[in-house]
Amino acid sequence: MPKDAPPNGSAWPDAVPMGPHRRVSEMQAKLHRWAAADPGRRFDDLFNLVHDPATLLMAFERVAGNIGSRTPCIDGLTVADVEQHLGVPGFLDDLRAQLKMGSFRPLPVRERLIPKPGGQGKVRHLGIPTVADRIVQAAVKLVLEPIFEADFQPVSYGFRPRRRAHDAIAEIHYFGTRGYRWVLDADIEAAFDNLDHVVLMDQVRARVKDKRVLTLVKAFLKAGVLTELGTLRTTPAGTPQGGILSPLLFNIALSVLDEHMHGPWQQGGTMSTPSRRVHRRRKGLPNWRIVRYADDFVVLVHGTRDDVHALREEIAKVLAGLGLRLSPSKTQITHLSEAIDFLGFRLQWRRKQGTNKWYIYTFVSHAAIRSVRAKVRALTPRTSQQDLRSVLRRINLITHGWATYFKHAWRTDPSWPSGPVRGRRHSVAGRGKGLPQGRCLRCCRSVM
């Protein structure tokens, strides 16, 4: 093993006692350091870290801090029940004993159908694991995540520590202003439901040698689903949405696509330096950059529409090896001047009002506005017997979260038709304000 690096200024001081948080943090730091130092290394003896008391305690805290902890599964048990009736120390001790003896078996997840945004009768299949399964999944994630984070590419932003959707939007801004304006706006059809288990487990084995951990991961994949009708359905493929471990496993699988598309940007690749990218454009060859957030991704292309078509076929072949395919209805080729919707934002290459300069503007997408309106409308029917305080508290939570997420975007696209407003005070935008003439700075609607 490589020698431990000297501690930096933010390292734990020696005076701090070795508590569970410090123990797990140092364990993760070492695993990540060893994985980054040796890309071909396969880790053994990880199972002892999974059932370590400190790891299980940290996993329980993460599960308890999640809103989903109040949702029971097929055993009817919630985190509150564990805390009030069973006791956390005793519950974790029993769970640890089951893991050590090899008697732990994940139970089927409880299926819950959630309508997808946009209507059309489509639903998303969520799987709710039991409290014990959530804790073990969280423990496995605490051990595996620092190992695979060393291999993930910088073009992936979904469900990763210290990364968020706004970083992906900033990436599109950066490359879109540098000539990458043809876009493959892609979506993988039923990605979490169709992921090939054999391919996924092969990718996990590339880094994990401990058979007990591999058996545990496979057991979660094969646990099955208890449908809303009460029937048990097997899971020959896919990883259920709603599980704590599912996002990490999905990123491990999709890292194949990231490596394929980002390979030319690596050191020595054909797009690794600005001069090489310029040389490719002079020869009529395209440059591209993928930006992925879970199963939604865009490919920005500095080239022509035909180049995007060729990349689409290439990406389809890579996804076919994972048991996945692009959604025909949601995958489209467009130009940034025509606007694209990504992660709730609407991005468009357009000329600044009153100038000859062009920029990429970020607006709130129409679907995001309709979604928050529908949520507020559902909470405020004309005839309601709900307590006013609870309704206002819920509305505040929704609007505050929505406003925080979209605070860096324009509230709506000025080109979105809206009727003129009369009879109220407006702040009309002037030159240099960024909004077209005759638009209100507060509501972005036309003023007469």
Side-chain angles (χ1 to χ4, degrees):
M1 296 182 181
K3 294 182 178 179
D4 294 345
N8 54 29
S10 60
W12 290 94
D14 294 335
V16 177
M18 181 64 77
H21 294 78
R22 177 180 174 182
R23 183 186 179 106
V24 173
S25 179
E26 290 186 351
M27 175 267 293
Q28 290 182 312
K30 289 181 180 180
L31 290 175
H32 182 78
R33 185 161 57 246
W34 295 336
D38 187 0
R41 176 176 179 174
R42 298 181 66 202
F43 288 80
D44 201 357
D45 199 23
L46 295 176
F47 192 71
N48 291 331
L49 300 177
V50 172
H51 65 69
D52 186 272
T55 307
L56 291 177
L57 182 59
M58 283 285 295
F60 179 82
E61 291 181 358
R62 293 197 175 186
V63 172
N66 196 317
I67 297 180
S69 63
R70 296 174 290 185
T71 306
C73 189
I74 62 175
D75 59 356
L77 198 65
T78 64
V79 172
D81 297 331
V82 172
E83 294 174 338
Q84 296 174 8
H85 305 294
L86 302 179
V88 176
F91 184 81
L92 295 182
D93 288 342
D94 292 343
L95 187 59
R96 182 169 183 260
Q98 294 179 36
L99 289 171
K100 292 181 68 176
M101 292 186 299
S103 60
F104 174 80
R105 296 292 183 273
L107 295 177
V109 298
R110 182 167 70 91
E111 183 183 54
R112 186 175 180 183
L113 303 180
I114 305 296
K116 286 187 176 181
Q120 301 178 352
K122 296 183 179 180
V123 294
R124 178 178 288 109
H125 298 264
L126 296 183
I128 305 174
T130 63
V131 175
D133 292 348
R134 295 179 212 175
I135 295 173
V136 177
Q137 287 190 32
V140 173
K141 182 180 179 182
L142 286 172
V143 175
L144 295 185
E145 188 174 53
I147 297 174
F148 287 97
E149 272 292 326
D151 300 332
F152 289 159
Q153 301 297 325
V155 295
S156 171
Y157 294 91
F159 307 113
R160 293 183 60 188
R162 298 184 180 181
R163 284 173 171 259
R164 54 180 185 167
H166 302 83
D167 298 327
I169 299 300
E171 186 91 340
I172 298 176
H173 270 264
Y174 180 83
F175 286 96
T177 55
R178 285 160 176 80
Y180 295 72
R181 298 191 188 106
W182 279 106
V183 181
L184 173 64
D185 187 3
D187 181 84
I188 304 175
E189 186 172 9
F192 283 84
D193 299 330
N194 297 324
L195 189 62
D196 193 301
H197 287 175
V198 176
V199 178
L200 173 59
M201 290 305 301
D202 288 341
Q203 292 177 251
V204 177
R205 288 189 190 95
R207 273 300 200 174
V208 179
K209 191 177 180 180
D210 195 327
K211 292 184 179 180
R212 294 170 297 179
V213 175
L214 294 172
T215 301
L216 197 57
V217 173
K218 188 174 182 179
F220 283 119
L221 294 175
K222 301 293 186 180
V225 176
L226 185 66
T227 65
E228 291 187 341
L229 300 178
T231 59
L232 183 62
R233 186 178 72 242
T234 59
T235 51
T239 173
Q241 296 188 60
I244 297 177
L245 193 58
S246 296
L248 175 61
L249 295 178
F250 189 80
N251 275 335
I252 293 174
L254 265 291
S255 62
V256 175
L257 176 63
D258 299 338
E259 293 169 1
H260 180 83
M261 298 298 295
H262 192 64
W265 286 80
Q266 302 293 339
Q267 185 175 4
T270 56
M271 304 179 196
S272 56
T273 62
S275 59
R276 291 184 178 182
R277 294 193 289 271
V278 171
H279 181 67
R280 284 178 58 87
R281 291 302 300 135
R282 289 175 178 173
K283 294 177 63 176
L285 298 176
N287 297 319
W288 61 82
R289 181 81 173 192
I290 184 174
V291 179
R292 184 177 67 84
Y293 193 97
D295 57 334
D296 294 329
F297 65 91
V298 296
V299 181
L300 307 172
V301 180
H302 192 179
T304 64
R305 189 183 186 92
D306 293 336
D307 297 329
V308 186
H309 275 287
L311 283 173
R312 177 175 179 170
E313 299 301 322
E314 187 176 339
I315 291 173
K317 293 179 180 179
V318 175
L319 293 178
L322 301 172
L324 305 174
R325 69 188 188 98
L326 294 174
S327 173
S329 59
K330 296 183 179 180
T331 302
Q332 57 183 350
I333 297 174
T334 185
H335 195 272
L336 273 178
S337 60
E338 301 172 1
I340 61 170
D341 288 351
F342 188 60
L343 303 178
F345 295 92
R346 185 172 182 84
L347 299 101
Q348 186 174 15
W349 172 259
R350 60 194 301 165
R351 183 176 61 86
K352 182 178 179 180
Q353 184 75 17
T355 69
N356 290 324
K357 296 181 180 180
W358 289 67
Y359 301 95
I360 292 183
Y361 285 80
T362 304
F363 307 100
V364 182
S365 69
H366 304 166
I369 295 176
R370 287 193 295 265
S371 176
V372 71
R373 286 177 176 174
K375 291 179 181 179
V376 175
R377 188 179 296 112
L379 288 171
T380 55
R382 291 186 178 274
T383 58
S384 175
Q385 303 298 323
Q386 300 181 67
D387 179 59
L388 180 60
R389 176 176 296 180
S390 62
V391 171
L392 292 178
R393 184 183 296 112
R394 182 59 182 162
I395 292 176
N396 285 338
L397 288 174
I398 293 174
T399 55
H400 178 74
W402 190 89
T404 301
Y405 183 79
F406 291 107
K407 65 182 179 180
H408 299 299
W410 294 49
R411 281 165 287 184
T412 184
D413 187 347
S415 64
W416 195 14
S418 58
V421 183
R422 299 181 178 87
R424 55 183 294 186
R425 186 182 298 274
H426 292 275
S427 177
V428 181
R431 290 189 179 275
K433 299 286 186 179
L435 281 173
Q437 290 281 353
R439 293 265 174 189
C440 176
L441 288 173
R442 298 192 181 95
C443 62
C444 291
R445 301 183 68 181
S446 57
V447 180
M448 294 182 63

Short mmCIF file of all heavy atoms in Angstrom, two decimals, residues 77-125:
data_model
loop_
_atom_site.label_atom_id
_atom_site.label_comp_id
_atom_site.label_asym_id
_atom_site.label_seq_id
_atom_site.Cartn_x
_atom_site.Cartn_y
_atom_site.Cartn_z
N LEU A 77 -42.02 -1.33 9.17
CA LEU A 77 -41.12 -0.71 10.15
C LEU A 77 -40.56 0.59 9.60
O LEU A 77 -40.17 0.67 8.43
CB LEU A 77 -39.98 -1.67 10.49
CG LEU A 77 -39.18 -1.41 11.77
CD1 LEU A 77 -40.08 -1.58 12.98
CD2 LEU A 77 -37.99 -2.34 11.85
N THR A 78 -40.50 1.61 10.44
CA THR A 78 -39.89 2.88 10.08
C THR A 78 -38.73 3.17 11.03
O THR A 78 -38.54 2.48 12.03
CB THR A 78 -40.91 4.03 10.16
OG1 THR A 78 -41.35 4.17 11.53
CG2 THR A 78 -42.11 3.77 9.26
N VAL A 79 -37.96 4.20 10.70
CA VAL A 79 -36.85 4.59 11.57
C VAL A 79 -37.35 5.02 12.94
O VAL A 79 -36.72 4.74 13.97
CB VAL A 79 -36.03 5.71 10.90
CG1 VAL A 79 -34.98 6.26 11.85
CG2 VAL A 79 -35.35 5.20 9.63
N ALA A 80 -38.49 5.71 12.97
CA ALA A 80 -39.06 6.13 14.27
C ALA A 80 -39.40 4.92 15.14
O ALA A 80 -39.21 4.95 16.36
CB ALA A 80 -40.30 6.99 14.03
N ASP A 81 -39.91 3.84 14.52
CA ASP A 81 -40.19 2.63 15.29
C ASP A 81 -38.92 2.03 15.88
O ASP A 81 -38.92 1.54 17.01
CB ASP A 81 -40.89 1.61 14.40
CG ASP A 81 -42.24 2.08 13.90
OD1 ASP A 81 -42.88 2.88 14.62
OD2 ASP A 81 -42.65 1.67 12.80
N VAL A 82 -37.83 2.06 15.09
CA VAL A 82 -36.56 1.53 15.58
C VAL A 82 -36.07 2.34 16.78
O VAL A 82 -35.61 1.79 17.79
CB VAL A 82 -35.51 1.52 14.45
CG1 VAL A 82 -34.13 1.15 15.00
CG2 VAL A 82 -35.93 0.56 13.36
N GLU A 83 -36.18 3.67 16.68
CA GLU A 83 -35.68 4.53 17.75
C GLU A 83 -36.54 4.43 19.01
O GLU A 83 -36.00 4.47 20.13
CB GLU A 83 -35.63 5.98 17.25
CG GLU A 83 -34.63 6.21 16.14
CD GLU A 83 -34.70 7.61 15.59
OE1 GLU A 83 -35.77 8.26 15.74
OE2 GLU A 83 -33.71 8.07 14.98
N GLN A 84 -37.85 4.28 18.87
CA GLN A 84 -38.73 4.34 20.02
C GLN A 84 -38.97 2.97 20.67
O GLN A 84 -39.12 2.89 21.89
CB GLN A 84 -40.08 4.94 19.60
CG GLN A 84 -39.97 6.38 19.12
CD GLN A 84 -41.28 6.90 18.57
OE1 GLN A 84 -42.32 6.24 18.68
NE2 GLN A 84 -41.25 8.08 17.98
N HIS A 85 -39.01 1.92 19.87
CA HIS A 85 -39.42 0.62 20.41
C HIS A 85 -38.27 -0.40 20.47
O HIS A 85 -38.16 -1.14 21.44
CB HIS A 85 -40.56 0.05 19.57
CG HIS A 85 -41.74 0.95 19.46
ND1 HIS A 85 -42.53 1.30 20.54
CD2 HIS A 85 -42.27 1.62 18.39
CE1 HIS A 85 -43.49 2.12 20.15
NE2 HIS A 85 -43.36 2.33 18.84
N LEU A 86 -37.43 -0.46 19.43
CA LEU A 86 -36.38 -1.47 19.38
C LEU A 86 -35.07 -0.99 19.98
O LEU A 86 -34.32 -1.79 20.54
CB LEU A 86 -36.15 -1.92 17.92
CG LEU A 86 -37.37 -2.50 17.20
CD1 LEU A 86 -37.00 -2.88 15.78
CD2 LEU A 86 -37.91 -3.71 17.95
N GLY A 87 -34.78 0.30 19.84
CA GLY A 87 -33.50 0.83 20.31
C GLY A 87 -32.45 0.72 19.23
O GLY A 87 -32.24 -0.37 18.66
N VAL A 88 -31.77 1.82 18.94
CA VAL A 88 -30.79 1.84 17.85
C VAL A 88 -29.60 0.93 18.14
O VAL A 88 -29.20 0.14 17.27
CB VAL A 88 -30.32 3.30 17.58
CG1 VAL A 88 -29.21 3.31 16.53
CG2 VAL A 88 -31.50 4.16 17.15
N PRO A 89 -28.98 0.94 19.34
CA PRO A 89 -27.82 0.06 19.57
C PRO A 89 -28.15 -1.41 19.39
O PRO A 89 -27.40 -2.16 18.74
CB PRO A 89 -27.42 0.39 21.01
CG PRO A 89 -27.94 1.76 21.26
CD PRO A 89 -29.22 1.83 20.50
N GLY A 90 -29.27 -1.86 19.96
CA GLY A 90 -29.63 -3.26 19.82
C GLY A 90 -29.95 -3.64 18.39
O GLY A 90 -29.59 -4.73 17.93
N PHE A 91 -30.64 -2.75 17.66
CA PHE A 91 -30.98 -3.01 16.27
C PHE A 91 -29.74 -3.15 15.41
O PHE A 91 -29.62 -4.07 14.59
CB PHE A 91 -31.89 -1.89 15.74
CG PHE A 91 -32.38 -2.11 14.33
CD1 PHE A 91 -33.47 -2.93 14.09
CD2 PHE A 91 -31.76 -1.48 13.27
CE1 PHE A 91 -33.93 -3.12 12.80
CE2 PHE A 91 -32.21 -1.67 11.97
CZ PHE A 91 -33.30 -2.49 11.74
N LEU A 92 -28.77 -2.25 15.60
CA LEU A 92 -27.54 -2.32 14.82
C LEU A 92 -26.69 -3.52 15.22
O LEU A 92 -26.01 -4.11 14.36
CB LEU A 92 -26.74 -1.02 15.00
CG LEU A 92 -27.38 0.26 14.45
CD1 LEU A 92 -26.46 1.46 14.66
CD2 LEU A 92 -27.73 0.12 12.98
N ASP A 93 -26.70 -3.90 16.48
CA ASP A 93 -25.95 -5.09 16.91
C ASP A 93 -26.51 -6.35 16.25
O ASP A 93 -25.75 -7.21 15.79
CB ASP A 93 -25.98 -5.22 18.43
CG ASP A 93 -25.13 -4.17 19.13
OD1 ASP A 93 -24.26 -3.59 18.45
OD2 ASP A 93 -25.34 -3.93 20.33
N ASP A 94 -27.84 -6.48 16.21
CA ASP A 94 -28.45 -7.63 15.55
C ASP A 94 -28.13 -7.64 14.06
O ASP A 94 -27.86 -8.70 13.48
CB ASP A 94 -29.96 -7.61 15.77
CG ASP A 94 -30.35 -7.85 17.22
OD1 ASP A 94 -29.49 -8.35 17.98
OD2 ASP A 94 -31.49 -7.51 17.60
N LEU A 95 -28.18 -6.46 13.45
CA LEU A 95 -27.89 -6.37 12.02
C LEU A 95 -26.43 -6.74 11.73
O LEU A 95 -26.12 -7.44 10.76
CB LEU A 95 -28.20 -4.95 11.53
CG LEU A 95 -28.11 -4.70 10.02
CD1 LEU A 95 -29.06 -5.61 9.27
CD2 LEU A 95 -28.43 -3.24 9.70
N ARG A 96 -25.55 -6.29 12.59
CA ARG A 96 -24.12 -6.61 12.43
C ARG A 96 -23.89 -8.12 12.61
O ARG A 96 -23.10 -8.72 11.86
CB ARG A 96 -23.29 -5.83 13.45
CG ARG A 96 -21.79 -6.05 13.32
CD ARG A 96 -21.03 -5.04 14.16
NE ARG A 96 -19.59 -5.21 13.98
CZ ARG A 96 -18.80 -5.85 14.85
NH1 ARG A 96 -19.32 -6.37 15.96
NH2 ARG A 96 -17.51 -5.96 14.61
N ALA A 97 -24.57 -8.73 13.55
CA ALA A 97 -24.42 -10.17 13.75
C ALA A 97 -24.91 -10.96 12.54
O ALA A 97 -24.28 -11.95 12.13
CB ALA A 97 -25.19 -10.59 15.00
N GLN A 98 -26.01 -10.52 11.92
CA GLN A 98 -26.50 -11.18 10.72
C GLN A 98 -25.50 -11.06 9.57
O GLN A 98 -25.28 -12.02 8.82
CB GLN A 98 -27.84 -10.58 10.30
CG GLN A 98 -28.98 -10.82 11.28
CD GLN A 98 -30.26 -10.18 10.80
OE1 GLN A 98 -30.57 -10.14 9.61
NE2 GLN A 98 -31.04 -9.66 11.75
N LEU A 99 -24.89 -9.89 9.43
CA LEU A 99 -23.91 -9.70 8.37
C LEU A 99 -22.68 -10.59 8.59
O LEU A 99 -22.16 -11.22 7.65
CB LEU A 99 -23.50 -8.23 8.29
CG LEU A 99 -24.56 -7.26 7.75
CD1 LEU A 99 -24.10 -5.82 7.95
CD2 LEU A 99 -24.83 -7.52 6.27
N LYS A 100 -22.20 -10.65 9.81
CA LYS A 100 -21.00 -11.44 10.10
C LYS A 100 -21.25 -12.94 9.91
O LYS A 100 -20.36 -13.67 9.41
CB LYS A 100 -20.52 -11.16 11.53
CG LYS A 100 -19.99 -9.75 11.74
CD LYS A 100 -19.52 -9.56 13.16
CE LYS A 100 -18.28 -10.40 13.45
NZ LYS A 100 -17.76 -10.13 14.81
N MET A 101 -22.43 -13.41 10.28
CA MET A 101 -22.74 -14.84 10.13
C MET A 101 -23.17 -15.21 8.72
O MET A 101 -23.29 -16.38 8.40
CB MET A 101 -23.85 -15.23 11.13
CG MET A 101 -23.40 -15.18 12.59
SD MET A 101 -24.67 -15.82 13.71
CE MET A 101 -26.01 -14.68 13.40
N GLY A 102 -23.42 -14.20 7.88
CA GLY A 102 -23.85 -14.48 6.52
C GLY A 102 -25.32 -14.82 6.38
O GLY A 102 -25.75 -15.33 5.33
N SER A 103 -26.12 -14.53 7.41
CA SER A 103 -27.55 -14.85 7.37
C SER A 103 -28.41 -13.68 6.89
O SER A 103 -29.63 -13.82 6.78
CB SER A 103 -28.03 -15.29 8.76
OG SER A 103 -27.82 -14.25 9.72
N PHE A 104 -27.80 -12.53 6.62
CA PHE A 104 -28.58 -11.37 6.18
C PHE A 104 -29.06 -11.59 4.75
O PHE A 104 -28.27 -11.93 3.86
CB PHE A 104 -27.74 -10.09 6.27
CG PHE A 104 -28.43 -8.88 5.71
CD1 PHE A 104 -29.38 -8.21 6.45
CD2 PHE A 104 -28.14 -8.44 4.43
CE1 PHE A 104 -30.03 -7.09 5.93
CE2 PHE A 104 -28.78 -7.33 3.90
CZ PHE A 104 -29.73 -6.66 4.66
N ARG A 105 -30.36 -11.40 4.52
CA ARG A 105 -30.95 -11.50 3.20
C ARG A 105 -31.85 -10.29 2.95
O ARG A 105 -32.78 -10.05 3.72
CB ARG A 105 -31.77 -12.79 3.06
CG ARG A 105 -30.98 -14.08 3.17
CD ARG A 105 -30.05 -14.25 1.97
NE ARG A 105 -29.34 -15.54 2.06
CZ ARG A 105 -28.20 -15.71 2.70
NH1 ARG A 105 -27.64 -14.70 3.36
NH2 ARG A 105 -27.61 -16.89 2.70
N PRO A 106 -31.60 -9.53 1.90
CA PRO A 106 -32.48 -8.38 1.62
C PRO A 106 -33.89 -8.83 1.29
O PRO A 106 -34.10 -9.86 0.63
CB PRO A 106 -31.81 -7.72 0.40
CG PRO A 106 -30.43 -8.27 0.35
CD PRO A 106 -30.49 -9.64 0.94
N LEU A 107 -34.87 -8.07 1.74
CA LEU A 107 -36.26 -8.34 1.44
C LEU A 107 -36.66 -7.60 0.16
O LEU A 107 -36.02 -6.62 -0.23
CB LEU A 107 -37.15 -7.89 2.60
CG LEU A 107 -36.99 -8.65 3.92
CD1 LEU A 107 -37.89 -8.04 4.99
CD2 LEU A 107 -37.28 -10.12 3.74
N PRO A 108 -37.72 -8.04 -0.52
CA PRO A 108 -38.18 -7.32 -1.72
C PRO A 108 -38.57 -5.88 -1.37
O PRO A 108 -39.04 -5.59 -0.27
CB PRO A 108 -39.40 -8.14 -2.18
CG PRO A 108 -39.19 -9.50 -1.59
CD PRO A 108 -38.49 -9.27 -0.29
N VAL A 109 -38.36 -5.00 -2.32
CA VAL A 109 -38.72 -3.59 -2.11
C VAL A 109 -40.20 -3.41 -2.40
O VAL A 109 -40.80 -4.14 -3.19
CB VAL A 109 -37.87 -2.67 -3.01
CG1 VAL A 109 -36.40 -2.79 -2.68
CG2 VAL A 109 -38.11 -2.98 -4.49
N ARG A 110 -40.80 -2.44 -1.73
CA ARG A 110 -42.22 -2.13 -1.96
C ARG A 110 -42.32 -1.14 -3.10
O ARG A 110 -41.74 -0.06 -3.06
CB ARG A 110 -42.85 -1.55 -0.70
CG ARG A 110 -44.35 -1.24 -0.85
CD ARG A 110 -44.99 -0.98 0.50
NE ARG A 110 -44.55 0.27 1.07
CZ ARG A 110 -45.17 1.44 0.88
NH1 ARG A 110 -46.25 1.51 0.12
NH2 ARG A 110 -44.72 2.54 1.46
N GLU A 111 -43.07 -1.51 -4.11
CA GLU A 111 -43.18 -0.66 -5.31
C GLU A 111 -44.18 0.46 -5.07
O GLU A 111 -45.24 0.27 -4.46
CB GLU A 111 -43.62 -1.50 -6.51
CG GLU A 111 -43.69 -0.71 -7.80
CD GLU A 111 -44.20 -1.54 -8.96
OE1 GLU A 111 -45.30 -2.13 -8.82
OE2 GLU A 111 -43.53 -1.62 -9.99
N ARG A 112 -43.80 1.62 -5.58
CA ARG A 112 -44.71 2.76 -5.56
C ARG A 112 -44.61 3.46 -6.90
O ARG A 112 -43.51 3.81 -7.35
CB ARG A 112 -44.37 3.72 -4.43
CG ARG A 112 -45.37 4.86 -4.28
CD ARG A 112 -45.07 5.71 -3.07
NE ARG A 112 -46.04 6.78 -2.93
CZ ARG A 112 -45.99 7.72 -1.99
NH1 ARG A 112 -45.01 7.69 -1.10
NH2 ARG A 112 -46.90 8.67 -1.93
N LEU A 113 -45.74 3.67 -7.56
CA LEU A 113 -45.79 4.28 -8.88
C LEU A 113 -45.99 5.78 -8.74
O LEU A 113 -46.97 6.22 -8.12
CB LEU A 113 -46.90 3.65 -9.73
CG LEU A 113 -46.81 2.13 -9.91
CD1 LEU A 113 -47.96 1.64 -10.77
CD2 LEU A 113 -45.47 1.74 -10.53
N ILE A 114 -45.07 6.55 -9.31
CA ILE A 114 -45.12 8.01 -9.25
C ILE A 114 -45.33 8.55 -10.66
O ILE A 114 -44.57 8.19 -11.57
CB ILE A 114 -43.82 8.59 -8.66
CG1 ILE A 114 -43.54 7.97 -7.29
CG2 ILE A 114 -43.90 10.10 -8.55
CD1 ILE A 114 -44.57 8.29 -6.24
N PRO A 115 -46.34 9.39 -10.88
CA PRO A 115 -46.53 9.95 -12.24
C PRO A 115 -45.32 10.77 -12.66
O PRO A 115 -44.77 11.55 -11.88
CB PRO A 115 -47.78 10.84 -12.08
CG PRO A 115 -48.46 10.33 -10.86
CD PRO A 115 -47.39 9.82 -9.95
N LYS A 116 -44.90 10.57 -13.89
CA LYS A 116 -43.77 11.33 -14.42
C LYS A 116 -44.21 12.73 -14.80
O LYS A 116 -45.37 12.95 -15.19
CB LYS A 116 -43.18 10.63 -15.65
CG LYS A 116 -42.37 9.39 -15.33
CD LYS A 116 -41.68 8.86 -16.57
CE LYS A 116 -40.79 7.67 -16.24
NZ LYS A 116 -40.08 7.17 -17.44
N PRO A 117 -43.30 13.73 -14.70
CA PRO A 117 -43.65 15.08 -15.14
C PRO A 117 -44.00 15.10 -16.61
O PRO A 117 -43.39 14.41 -17.42
CB PRO A 117 -42.37 15.89 -14.85
CG PRO A 117 -41.62 15.08 -13.85
CD PRO A 117 -41.95 13.65 -14.13
N GLY A 118 -44.99 15.91 -16.95
CA GLY A 118 -45.37 16.01 -18.35
C GLY A 118 -46.61 15.23 -18.70
O GLY A 118 -47.11 15.33 -19.83
N GLY A 119 -47.11 14.46 -17.76
CA GLY A 119 -48.36 13.74 -18.01
C GLY A 119 -48.18 12.55 -18.93
O GLY A 119 -47.24 11.78 -18.81
N GLN A 120 -49.11 12.39 -19.88
CA GLN A 120 -49.13 11.31 -20.87
C GLN A 120 -49.31 9.94 -20.21
O GLN A 120 -49.10 8.91 -20.84
CB GLN A 120 -47.85 11.31 -21.72
CG GLN A 120 -47.63 12.59 -22.48
CD GLN A 120 -46.35 12.58 -23.28
OE1 GLN A 120 -45.53 11.66 -23.16
NE2 GLN A 120 -46.16 13.59 -24.11
N GLY A 121 -49.69 9.91 -18.94
CA GLY A 121 -49.99 8.66 -18.28
C GLY A 121 -48.79 7.81 -17.91
O GLY A 121 -48.96 6.68 -17.44
N LYS A 122 -47.57 8.31 -18.09
CA LYS A 122 -46.38 7.53 -17.76
C LYS A 122 -46.08 7.64 -16.27
O LYS A 122 -46.32 8.67 -15.65
CB LYS A 122 -45.18 8.01 -18.58
CG LYS A 122 -45.35 7.80 -20.08
CD LYS A 122 -44.10 8.23 -20.84
CE LYS A 122 -44.26 7.99 -22.33
NZ LYS A 122 -43.04 8.40 -23.08
N VAL A 123 -45.53 6.56 -15.71
CA VAL A 123 -45.23 6.52 -14.28
C VAL A 123 -43.79 6.08 -14.08
O VAL A 123 -43.18 5.43 -14.94
CB VAL A 123 -46.18 5.56 -13.53
CG1 VAL A 123 -47.60 6.07 -13.56
CG2 VAL A 123 -46.10 4.15 -14.11
N ARG A 124 -43.24 6.45 -12.93
CA ARG A 124 -41.90 6.04 -12.54
C ARG A 124 -42.02 5.00 -11.42
O ARG A 124 -42.76 5.19 -10.46
CB ARG A 124 -41.09 7.25 -12.07
CG ARG A 124 -39.69 6.91 -11.58
CD ARG A 124 -38.90 8.14 -11.18
NE ARG A 124 -38.49 8.92 -12.33
CZ ARG A 124 -38.99 10.10 -12.65
NH1 ARG A 124 -39.93 10.63 -11.88
NH2 ARG A 124 -38.58 10.74 -13.70
N HIS A 125 -41.29 3.91 -11.56
CA HIS A 125 -41.34 2.82 -10.58
C HIS A 125 -40.30 3.07 -9.48
O HIS A 125 -39.10 2.99 -9.74
CB HIS A 125 -41.08 1.48 -11.26
CG HIS A 125 -42.10 1.12 -12.30
ND1 HIS A 125 -43.19 0.31 -12.04
CD2 HIS A 125 -42.21 1.48 -13.61
CE1 HIS A 125 -43.92 0.18 -13.13
NE2 HIS A 125 -43.34 0.88 -14.10
#
